[in-house]
Coordinates of all heavy atoms in Angstrom, one line a residue:
M1 N 157.9 -106.1 222.8 CA 157.4 -107.5 223.1 C 156.7 -107.5 224.5 O 157.3 -107.0 225.4 CB 158.4 -108.5 222.9 CG 158.7 -108.9 221.5 SD 159.8 -110.3 221.4 CE 161.4 -109.5 221.6
P2 N 155.6 -108.2 224.6 CA 155.0 -108.3 225.9 C 155.7 -109.3 226.8 O 156.4 -110.2 226.4 CB 153.6 -108.8 225.6 CG 153.7 -109.5 224.3 CD 154.8 -108.8 223.5
T3 N 155.5 -109.1 228.1 CA 156.0 -110.0 229.1 C 154.9 -111.0 229.6 O 153.8 -110.5 229.9 CB 156.5 -109.2 230.3 OG1 157.5 -108.3 229.9 CG2 157.1 -110.1 231.4
Y4 N 155.2 -112.2 229.6 CA 154.3 -113.3 230.0 C 154.8 -113.9 231.3 O 156.0 -114.2 231.4 CB 154.1 -114.3 228.9 CG 153.5 -113.8 227.6 CD1 154.3 -113.5 226.6 CD2 152.2 -113.5 227.5 CE1 153.8 -113.0 225.4 CE2 151.6 -113.0 226.4 CZ 152.5 -112.7 225.3 OH 152.0 -112.2 224.2
T5 N 153.9 -114.2 232.2 CA 154.2 -114.9 233.4 C 153.9 -116.4 233.3 O 152.9 -116.8 232.8 CB 153.4 -114.3 234.6 OG1 153.7 -112.9 234.7 CG2 153.8 -115.0 235.9
H6 N 154.9 -117.2 233.7 CA 154.8 -118.6 233.6 C 155.0 -119.2 235.0 O 155.7 -118.6 235.8 CB 155.8 -119.2 232.6 CG 155.5 -118.8 231.2 ND1 154.7 -119.5 230.4 CD2 156.0 -117.7 230.5 CE1 154.7 -118.8 229.2 NE2 155.4 -117.8 229.3
R7 N 154.5 -120.4 235.3 CA 154.6 -121.0 236.6 C 155.3 -122.4 236.4 O 154.7 -123.3 235.9 CB 153.3 -121.1 237.3 CG 153.4 -121.8 238.7 CD 152.1 -121.8 239.4 NE 151.6 -120.5 239.7 CZ 150.3 -120.1 239.4 NH1 149.5 -121.0 239.0 NH2 150.0 -118.9 239.7
C8 N 156.4 -122.5 237.0 CA 157.1 -123.8 237.0 C 156.6 -124.5 238.2 O 156.5 -123.9 239.3 CB 158.6 -123.6 237.1 SG 159.5 -125.1 237.4
P9 N 156.2 -125.8 238.1 CA 155.7 -126.6 239.3 C 156.8 -126.7 240.4 O 156.4 -127.0 241.5 CB 155.3 -127.9 238.7 CG 156.0 -128.0 237.4 CD 156.3 -126.6 236.9
V10 N 158.1 -126.6 240.0 CA 159.1 -126.8 241.0 C 159.7 -125.5 241.5 O 159.8 -125.2 242.7 CB 160.3 -127.6 240.4 CG1 161.4 -127.8 241.4 CG2 159.8 -128.9 239.9
C11 N 159.9 -124.5 240.6 CA 160.6 -123.3 241.0 C 159.7 -122.1 241.3 O 160.1 -121.1 241.9 CB 161.6 -122.9 239.9 SG 162.8 -124.2 239.4
G12 N 158.5 -122.2 240.7 CA 157.6 -121.0 240.9 C 157.4 -120.2 239.7 O 157.7 -120.6 238.6
E13 N 157.0 -119.0 239.9 CA 156.6 -118.1 238.8 C 157.9 -117.4 238.3 O 158.8 -117.0 239.0 CB 155.6 -117.1 239.2 CG 154.2 -117.7 239.4 CD 153.2 -116.7 239.7 OE1 153.5 -115.5 239.8 OE2 152.0 -117.1 240.0
F14 N 157.9 -117.1 237.0 CA 158.9 -116.3 236.3 C 158.3 -115.6 235.1 O 157.3 -116.0 234.6 CB 160.1 -117.1 236.0 CG 159.8 -118.2 235.0 CD1 160.0 -118.0 233.6 CD2 159.4 -119.5 235.4 CE1 159.7 -119.0 232.7 CE2 159.1 -120.5 234.5 CZ 159.3 -120.2 233.1
D15 N 158.9 -114.5 234.8 CA 158.5 -113.7 233.6 C 159.4 -114.0 232.5 O 160.6 -114.2 232.6 CB 158.5 -112.2 233.9 CG 157.4 -111.9 235.0 OD1 156.4 -112.6 235.1 OD2 157.6 -110.9 235.7
R16 N 158.8 -114.0 231.3 CA 159.6 -114.1 230.1 C 159.1 -113.2 229.0 O 157.8 -113.2 228.7 CB 159.6 -115.6 229.6 CG 160.5 -115.8 228.4 CD 160.9 -117.2 228.3 NE 161.7 -117.7 229.4 CZ 162.0 -119.0 229.6 NH1 161.6 -119.9 228.7 NH2 162.7 -119.4 230.6
I17 N 159.9 -112.5 228.4 CA 159.6 -111.6 227.3 C 159.6 -112.4 226.0 O 160.6 -113.0 225.6 CB 160.5 -110.4 227.2 CG1 160.5 -109.6 228.5 CG2 160.2 -109.5 226.0 CD1 161.5 -108.5 228.6
R18 N 158.4 -112.4 225.3 CA 158.3 -113.2 224.1 C 157.5 -112.5 223.1 O 156.6 -111.6 223.5 CB 157.6 -114.6 224.4 CG 158.3 -115.3 225.5 CD 157.5 -116.6 225.9 NE 157.7 -117.6 224.8 CZ 157.0 -118.6 224.6 NH1 156.0 -118.9 225.4 NH2 157.3 -119.5 223.7
P19 N 157.6 -112.8 221.8 CA 156.8 -112.1 220.8 C 155.3 -112.6 221.0 O 155.1 -113.7 221.5 CB 157.4 -112.5 219.5 CG 158.2 -113.7 219.8 CD 158.7 -113.6 221.2
L20 N 154.4 -111.8 220.5 CA 153.0 -112.1 220.6 C 152.7 -113.4 219.9 O 151.8 -114.2 220.3 CB 152.2 -111.0 220.1 CG 150.7 -111.1 220.3 CD1 150.3 -111.1 221.8 CD2 150.0 -109.9 219.6
S21 N 153.4 -113.7 218.8 CA 153.1 -114.9 218.0 C 153.5 -116.1 218.7 O 153.0 -117.2 218.4 CB 153.8 -114.8 216.6 OG 155.2 -114.7 216.9
A22 N 154.4 -116.0 219.7 CA 154.8 -117.2 220.4 C 154.2 -117.3 221.8 O 154.7 -118.1 222.6 CB 156.4 -117.2 220.5
S23 N 153.2 -116.5 222.0 CA 152.6 -116.5 223.4 C 152.0 -117.8 223.8 O 151.9 -118.2 224.9 CB 151.6 -115.4 223.5 OG 150.5 -115.6 222.6
G24 N 151.5 -118.6 222.8 CA 150.9 -119.9 223.1 C 151.8 -121.1 223.1 O 151.4 -122.2 223.5
A25 N 153.0 -120.8 222.7 CA 154.0 -121.9 222.6 C 154.4 -122.4 224.0 O 154.5 -121.5 224.9 CB 155.2 -121.5 221.8
P26 N 154.7 -123.7 224.2 CA 155.1 -124.1 225.5 C 156.5 -123.5 225.9 O 157.3 -123.3 225.1 CB 155.2 -125.6 225.4 CG 155.3 -125.9 223.9 CD 154.6 -124.8 223.2
V27 N 156.7 -123.4 227.2 CA 157.9 -122.8 227.8 C 158.5 -123.7 228.8 O 157.7 -124.4 229.5 CB 157.6 -121.4 228.4 CG1 158.8 -120.9 229.2 CG2 157.1 -120.4 227.4
T28 N 159.7 -123.8 228.8 CA 160.4 -124.7 229.8 C 161.1 -123.7 230.8 O 161.6 -122.7 230.4 CB 161.4 -125.6 229.2 OG1 162.4 -124.8 228.4 CG2 160.8 -126.6 228.2
C29 N 161.2 -124.2 232.0 CA 161.8 -123.4 233.0 C 163.3 -123.3 232.8 O 164.0 -124.3 232.4 CB 161.6 -124.1 234.4 SG 162.4 -123.2 235.8
G30 N 163.9 -122.1 233.0 CA 165.3 -122.0 232.7 C 166.2 -122.6 233.8 O 167.4 -122.9 233.5
D31 N 165.6 -122.9 235.0 CA 166.4 -123.5 236.0 C 166.4 -125.0 236.0 O 167.4 -125.7 236.1 CB 165.9 -123.0 237.4 CG 166.2 -121.5 237.6 OD1 167.1 -121.0 236.9 OD2 165.4 -120.9 238.3
C32 N 165.2 -125.6 235.9 CA 165.1 -127.1 236.0 C 164.6 -127.7 234.7 O 164.7 -129.0 234.6 CB 164.1 -127.4 237.2 SG 162.4 -127.0 236.8
G33 N 164.1 -127.0 233.8 CA 163.8 -127.5 232.5 C 162.4 -128.1 232.5 O 162.0 -128.7 231.5
A34 N 161.6 -128.0 233.5 CA 160.2 -128.5 233.5 C 159.3 -127.6 232.7 O 159.6 -126.4 232.5 CB 159.7 -128.5 235.0
A35 N 158.2 -128.2 232.2 CA 157.3 -127.4 231.4 C 156.6 -126.4 232.4 O 156.2 -126.8 233.5 CB 156.2 -128.3 230.8
A36 N 156.5 -125.2 231.9 CA 155.9 -124.1 232.7 C 154.8 -123.5 232.0 O 155.0 -122.7 231.0 CB 157.0 -123.1 233.1
P37 N 153.5 -123.8 232.3 CA 152.4 -123.2 231.7 C 152.3 -121.7 232.0 O 152.7 -121.2 233.0 CB 151.2 -124.0 232.2 CG 151.6 -124.5 233.5 CD 153.1 -124.7 233.4
R38 N 151.6 -121.0 231.1 CA 151.4 -119.6 231.2 C 150.4 -119.3 232.3 O 149.4 -120.0 232.5 CB 150.9 -119.0 229.9 CG 150.8 -117.5 229.9 CD 150.5 -117.0 228.5 NE 150.0 -115.7 228.6 CZ 149.3 -115.1 227.6 NH1 149.2 -115.7 226.5 NH2 148.9 -113.9 227.7
V39 N 150.6 -118.2 233.1 CA 149.7 -117.8 234.1 C 148.9 -116.6 233.6 O 149.5 -115.6 233.1 CB 150.4 -117.4 235.4 CG1 149.5 -116.9 236.4 CG2 151.2 -118.6 235.9
F40 N 147.6 -116.7 233.7 CA 146.7 -115.6 233.2 C 146.2 -114.8 234.4 O 145.8 -115.4 235.4 CB 145.5 -116.1 232.5 CG 145.9 -116.8 231.1 CD1 146.2 -118.1 231.1 CD2 146.0 -116.0 230.0 CE1 146.5 -118.7 229.9 CE2 146.4 -116.5 228.8 CZ 146.6 -117.9 228.7
R41 N 146.4 -113.5 234.3 CA 146.0 -112.6 235.4 C 145.2 -111.4 234.9 O 145.1 -111.3 233.7 CB 147.3 -112.1 236.1 CG 148.1 -113.1 236.8 CD 149.1 -112.5 237.7 NE 149.7 -113.5 238.5 CZ 150.9 -113.5 238.9 NH1 151.7 -112.4 238.6 NH2 151.4 -114.4 239.6
A42 N 144.7 -110.7 235.8 CA 144.0 -109.4 235.4 C 145.0 -108.5 234.7 O 146.2 -108.4 235.1 CB 143.4 -108.8 236.6
P43 N 144.5 -107.7 233.8 CA 145.4 -106.8 233.1 C 145.9 -105.7 234.0 O 145.2 -105.3 235.0 CB 144.6 -106.2 232.0 CG 143.2 -106.4 232.4 CD 143.2 -107.6 233.2
A44 N 147.1 -105.2 233.8 CA 147.7 -104.2 234.6 C 146.9 -102.9 234.3 O 146.7 -102.5 233.1 CB 149.2 -104.0 234.3
L45 N 146.5 -102.2 235.3 CA 145.7 -101.0 235.2 C 146.5 -99.7 235.5 O 145.9 -98.7 235.7 CB 144.4 -101.1 236.0 CG 143.5 -102.2 235.7 CD1 142.3 -102.2 236.7 CD2 143.0 -102.1 234.3
R46 N 147.8 -99.9 235.5 CA 148.6 -98.7 235.9 C 148.5 -97.6 234.8 O 148.5 -96.4 235.1 CB 150.0 -99.1 236.0 CG 150.3 -99.5 237.4 CD 151.8 -99.9 237.5 NE 151.9 -101.3 237.5 CZ 152.9 -102.0 237.2 NH1 154.0 -101.5 236.8 NH2 152.9 -103.3 237.2
G47 N 148.3 -98.0 233.6 CA 148.3 -97.0 232.5 C 146.9 -96.4 232.2 O 146.8 -95.6 231.3
V48 N 145.9 -96.7 233.0 CA 144.6 -96.2 232.8 C 144.5 -94.8 233.2 O 145.1 -94.3 234.2 CB 143.6 -97.1 233.6 CG1 142.2 -96.5 233.5 CG2 143.6 -98.5 233.1
D49 N 143.7 -94.0 232.4 CA 143.5 -92.6 232.7 C 142.9 -92.5 234.1 O 142.1 -93.2 234.6 CB 142.4 -92.1 231.7 CG 142.1 -90.7 231.9 OD1 143.0 -89.8 232.1 OD2 140.9 -90.4 232.0
P50 N 143.4 -91.5 234.9 CA 143.0 -91.3 236.3 C 141.5 -91.1 236.4 O 140.8 -91.6 237.3 CB 143.8 -90.1 236.8 CG 144.9 -90.0 235.9 CD 144.5 -90.6 234.6
G51 N 140.9 -90.4 235.5 CA 139.5 -90.1 235.5 C 138.7 -91.4 235.3 O 137.7 -91.7 236.0
L52 N 139.2 -92.3 234.4 CA 138.5 -93.5 234.2 C 138.7 -94.4 235.4 O 137.7 -95.1 235.8 CB 139.1 -94.2 232.9 CG 138.6 -95.6 232.6 CD1 137.1 -95.6 232.4 CD2 139.3 -96.2 231.4
R53 N 139.8 -94.4 236.0 CA 140.0 -95.2 237.2 C 139.1 -94.8 238.3 O 138.5 -95.6 239.0 CB 141.5 -95.1 237.7 CG 141.7 -96.0 238.9 CD 143.1 -95.9 239.4 NE 144.0 -96.2 238.3 CZ 145.3 -96.3 238.5 NH1 145.9 -96.1 239.6 NH2 146.1 -96.6 237.5
R54 N 138.9 -93.5 238.5 CA 138.0 -93.0 239.5 C 136.6 -93.4 239.2 O 135.8 -93.8 240.1 CB 138.1 -91.4 239.6 CG 139.3 -91.0 240.4 CD 139.1 -89.5 240.8 NE 139.1 -88.6 239.6 CZ 140.2 -88.2 239.0 NH1 141.3 -88.4 239.5 NH2 140.0 -87.4 237.9
A55 N 136.2 -93.4 238.0 CA 134.8 -93.8 237.6 C 134.7 -95.3 237.8 O 133.6 -95.7 238.3 CB 134.6 -93.4 236.1
L56 N 135.7 -96.1 237.5 CA 135.6 -97.5 237.7 C 135.5 -97.8 239.2 O 134.7 -98.7 239.7 CB 136.8 -98.2 237.1 CG 136.8 -98.2 235.6 CD1 138.1 -98.8 235.1 CD2 135.6 -99.0 235.0
D57 N 136.3 -97.1 240.0 CA 136.3 -97.3 241.5 C 134.9 -96.9 242.0 O 134.4 -97.6 242.9 CB 137.4 -96.5 242.2 CG 138.8 -97.1 241.8 OD1 138.8 -98.2 241.4 OD2 139.8 -96.3 242.1
A58 N 134.4 -95.7 241.6 CA 133.1 -95.3 242.1 C 132.0 -96.3 241.7 O 131.1 -96.5 242.4 CB 132.8 -93.9 241.5
S59 N 132.1 -96.8 240.5 CA 131.1 -97.8 240.0 C 131.1 -99.0 240.9 O 130.1 -99.6 241.3 CB 131.3 -98.1 238.5 OG 130.5 -99.1 238.1
G60 N 132.3 -99.5 241.2 CA 132.5 -100.7 242.0 C 132.0 -100.4 243.4 O 131.3 -101.3 244.0
A61 N 132.3 -99.3 244.0 CA 131.9 -98.9 245.3 C 130.4 -98.8 245.4 O 129.7 -99.2 246.3 CB 132.6 -97.7 245.8
S62 N 129.8 -98.2 244.3 CA 128.3 -98.0 244.3 C 127.6 -99.4 244.2 O 126.6 -99.6 244.8 CB 128.0 -97.2 243.1 OG 126.6 -97.1 242.9
A63 N 128.2 -100.3 243.5 CA 127.6 -101.6 243.4 C 127.7 -102.4 244.7 O 126.7 -103.1 245.0 CB 128.3 -102.5 242.3
D64 N 128.7 -102.2 245.5 CA 128.9 -102.9 246.7 C 128.1 -102.2 247.9 O 127.4 -102.9 248.6 CB 130.4 -103.0 247.1 CG 131.1 -103.9 246.2 OD1 130.5 -104.7 245.5 OD2 132.4 -103.7 246.1
T65 N 128.3 -100.9 248.0 CA 127.7 -100.2 249.1 C 127.1 -98.9 248.5 O 127.7 -97.9 248.5 CB 128.7 -99.8 250.2 OG1 129.8 -99.1 249.6 CG2 129.2 -101.1 250.9
P66 N 125.8 -99.0 248.0 CA 125.2 -97.8 247.4 C 125.0 -96.7 248.5 O 124.7 -97.0 249.6 CB 123.9 -98.3 246.8 CG 123.7 -99.6 247.5 CD 125.0 -100.1 247.9
S67 N 125.2 -95.5 248.1 CA 125.1 -94.4 249.0 C 123.6 -94.1 249.2 O 122.7 -94.3 248.3 CB 125.8 -93.1 248.5 OG 125.2 -92.7 247.2
V68 N 123.2 -93.6 250.4 CA 121.9 -93.3 250.8 C 121.5 -91.9 250.2 O 122.3 -90.9 250.3 CB 121.7 -93.3 252.3 CG1 120.3 -92.9 252.6 CG2 122.0 -94.6 252.8
V69 N 120.4 -91.8 249.5 CA 120.0 -90.6 248.9 C 118.8 -90.0 249.7 O 117.9 -90.7 250.0 CB 119.5 -90.9 247.4 CG1 119.0 -89.6 246.8 CG2 120.7 -91.4 246.6
S70 N 118.9 -88.7 250.0 CA 117.9 -88.1 250.8 C 117.0 -87.2 250.0 O 116.0 -86.7 250.5 CB 118.5 -87.3 252.0 OG 119.4 -86.3 251.4
S71 N 117.3 -86.9 248.8 CA 116.5 -86.1 247.9 C 116.6 -86.6 246.5 O 117.5 -87.3 246.1 CB 116.8 -84.6 248.0 OG 118.1 -84.4 247.5
V72 N 115.7 -86.1 245.7 CA 115.7 -86.5 244.3 C 116.9 -85.8 243.6 O 116.9 -84.6 243.7 CB 114.4 -86.2 243.6 CG1 114.4 -86.5 242.1 CG2 113.3 -86.9 244.3
P73 N 117.8 -86.5 243.0 CA 118.9 -85.8 242.3 C 118.4 -85.0 241.1 O 117.5 -85.4 240.4 CB 119.8 -86.9 241.9 CG 119.0 -88.1 241.9 CD 117.9 -87.9 242.9
G74 N 119.1 -83.9 240.9 CA 118.8 -83.1 239.7 C 117.8 -82.0 239.9 O 117.5 -81.2 239.0
R75 N 117.2 -82.0 241.1 CA 116.2 -80.9 241.3 C 116.7 -79.9 242.3 O 117.4 -80.3 243.3 CB 114.9 -81.5 241.9 CG 114.1 -82.3 240.9 CD 112.7 -82.6 241.5 NE 111.8 -83.1 240.5 CZ 110.6 -83.3 240.7 NH1 110.1 -83.1 241.9 NH2 109.8 -83.7 239.7
S76 N 116.4 -78.7 242.1 CA 116.9 -77.7 243.0 C 115.8 -77.4 244.0 O 114.6 -77.8 243.8 CB 117.2 -76.4 242.3 OG 116.0 -75.8 241.7
R77 N 116.2 -76.9 245.1 CA 115.2 -76.6 246.2 C 114.3 -75.4 245.9 O 113.3 -75.2 246.5 CB 115.9 -76.4 247.5 CG 116.6 -77.7 248.0 CD 117.3 -77.5 249.2 NE 117.9 -78.8 249.6 CZ 118.1 -79.2 250.8 NH1 117.7 -78.4 251.8 NH2 118.6 -80.3 251.1
R78 N 114.8 -74.6 245.0 CA 114.0 -73.4 244.7 C 112.8 -73.7 243.8 O 112.9 -74.6 242.9 CB 114.9 -72.3 243.9 CG 116.0 -71.8 244.8 CD 116.7 -70.7 244.3 NE 116.9 -70.8 242.8 CZ 117.5 -69.8 242.1 NH1 117.9 -68.8 242.7 NH2 117.7 -70.0 240.8
A79 N 111.7 -73.1 244.0 CA 110.5 -73.3 243.2 C 110.7 -72.7 241.8 O 111.6 -71.8 241.6 CB 109.3 -72.7 243.9
T80 N 109.9 -73.1 240.9 CA 109.9 -72.6 239.6 C 109.5 -71.1 239.7 O 108.6 -70.7 240.3 CB 108.9 -73.3 238.7 OG1 109.1 -74.7 238.8 CG2 108.9 -72.8 237.3
P81 N 110.3 -70.2 239.0 CA 110.0 -68.8 239.1 C 108.7 -68.5 238.5 O 108.3 -69.0 237.4 CB 111.2 -68.2 238.4 CG 111.8 -69.2 237.6 CD 111.5 -70.5 238.2
V82 N 107.9 -67.6 239.1 CA 106.6 -67.2 238.6 C 106.8 -65.8 238.0 O 107.3 -64.9 238.5 CB 105.6 -67.1 239.8 CG1 104.3 -66.6 239.3 CG2 105.5 -68.5 240.5
T83 N 106.2 -65.8 236.8 CA 106.3 -64.5 236.0 C 105.1 -63.6 236.3 O 104.0 -64.1 236.6 CB 106.4 -64.8 234.5 OG1 106.5 -63.5 233.9 CG2 105.3 -65.6 234.0
R84 N 105.3 -62.3 236.3 CA 104.2 -61.4 236.5 C 103.8 -60.7 235.2 O 102.9 -59.9 235.2 CB 104.6 -60.3 237.5 CG 105.1 -60.8 238.8 CD 103.9 -61.3 239.7 NE 104.4 -61.7 241.0 CZ 103.9 -62.7 241.6 NH1 102.9 -63.4 241.1 NH2 104.4 -63.1 242.8
D85 N 104.4 -61.1 234.1 CA 104.1 -60.5 232.8 C 102.7 -61.0 232.3 O 102.5 -62.2 232.2 CB 105.2 -60.9 231.8 CG 105.1 -60.0 230.5 OD1 104.0 -59.6 230.2 OD2 106.1 -59.9 229.9
P86 N 101.7 -60.2 232.0 CA 100.4 -60.6 231.6 C 100.4 -61.4 230.3 O 99.6 -62.2 230.0 CB 99.6 -59.4 231.5 CG 100.5 -58.2 231.5 CD 101.8 -58.7 232.1
R87 N 101.4 -61.1 229.4 CA 101.5 -61.8 228.1 C 101.8 -63.3 228.3 O 101.4 -64.1 227.5 CB 102.6 -61.1 227.3 CG 102.2 -59.7 226.9 CD 103.3 -59.1 226.1 NE 104.5 -59.0 227.0 CZ 105.7 -58.5 226.7 NH1 105.9 -58.1 225.4 NH2 106.7 -58.5 227.5
H88 N 102.4 -63.6 229.4 CA 102.8 -65.0 229.6 C 101.5 -65.8 229.9 O 101.5 -67.1 229.7 CB 103.8 -65.1 230.7 CG 105.1 -64.6 230.3 ND1 106.1 -64.3 231.2 CD2 105.6 -64.2 229.1 CE1 107.2 -63.8 230.6 NE2 106.9 -63.7 229.3
A89 N 100.5 -65.2 230.4 CA 99.2 -65.9 230.7 C 98.6 -66.5 229.5 O 97.8 -67.4 229.5 CB 98.3 -65.0 231.5
R90 N 98.8 -65.9 228.3 CA 98.2 -66.3 227.1 C 99.0 -67.4 226.4 O 98.6 -67.9 225.4 CB 98.1 -65.1 226.1 CG 97.0 -64.1 226.6 CD 96.9 -63.0 225.7 NE 98.1 -62.2 225.8 CZ 98.4 -61.1 225.1 NH1 97.5 -60.6 224.2 NH2 99.5 -60.4 225.2
L91 N 100.2 -67.7 226.9 CA 101.0 -68.8 226.3 C 100.3 -70.2 226.5 O 99.6 -70.4 227.5 CB 102.4 -68.8 226.9 CG 103.2 -67.6 226.5 CD1 104.5 -67.6 227.3 CD2 103.5 -67.6 225.1
P92 N 100.5 -71.1 225.6 CA 99.9 -72.4 225.8 C 100.5 -73.1 227.0 O 101.7 -73.0 227.2 CB 100.2 -73.1 224.5 CG 101.3 -72.4 223.9 CD 101.2 -71.0 224.3
R93 N 99.7 -73.9 227.7 CA 100.1 -74.6 228.8 C 100.4 -76.1 228.4 O 99.8 -76.6 227.5 CB 99.1 -74.6 229.9 CG 98.7 -73.2 230.4 CD 99.8 -72.7 231.2 NE 99.5 -71.3 231.6 CZ 100.5 -70.4 232.0 NH1 101.7 -70.8 232.0 NH2 100.2 -69.2 232.3
P94 N 101.4 -76.6 229.1 CA 101.7 -78.0 228.7 C 100.6 -79.0 229.2 O 99.8 -78.7 230.0 CB 103.0 -78.3 229.5 CG 103.1 -77.3 230.5 CD 102.3 -76.1 230.1
Ligands
ZN1 ZN1 161.8 -124.8 237.3

């Protein structure tokens, strides 16, 4: 069963383990009996694959502070090799 966080206006936040079918039902505080609405938060990312987490972090960092690129990515510095074979001269050119 999942754990849901609720906030009592008097006592503060507390966690309660409840079935998914009862997640929307109202909860009362165990200490004072006041109505305690559910608190919605970002999902826990502890169980995320480390590779996915690195990709998400890199994506977020790239969106905030993109890195400076000094050359076109994907191209090597070496020139295209030139062939000396005379048969290659008869090949169609793009
Ligand atoms: Zn309370």
Side-chain angles (χ1 to χ4, degrees):
M1 279 190 278
T3 302
Y4 298 101
T5 302
H6 297 270
R7 180 178 296 133
C8 173
V10 178
C11 307
E13 293 184 358
F14 61 92
D15 293 335
R16 185 156 298 169
I17 299 173
R18 308 176 73 195
L20 187 62
S21 60
S23 65
V27 171
T28 57
C29 177
D31 295 333
C32 67
R38 186 174 160 196
V39 177
F40 292 92
R41 293 192 171 148
L45 299 178
R46 273 182 256 158
V48 174
D49 178 51
L52 176 60
R53 182 181 303 185
R54 280 193 297 273
L56 291 172
D57 290 344
S59 175
S62 173
D64 293 338
T65 54
S67 60
V68 177
V69 177
S70 59
S71 64
V72 177
R75 286 189 167 188
S76 66
R77 294 180 180 215
R78 295 190 322 178
T80 305
V82 177
T83 179
R84 302 284 184 221
D85 191 334
R87 294 176 296 180
H88 292 168
R90 290 181 290 181
L91 291 174
R93 299 290 175 198

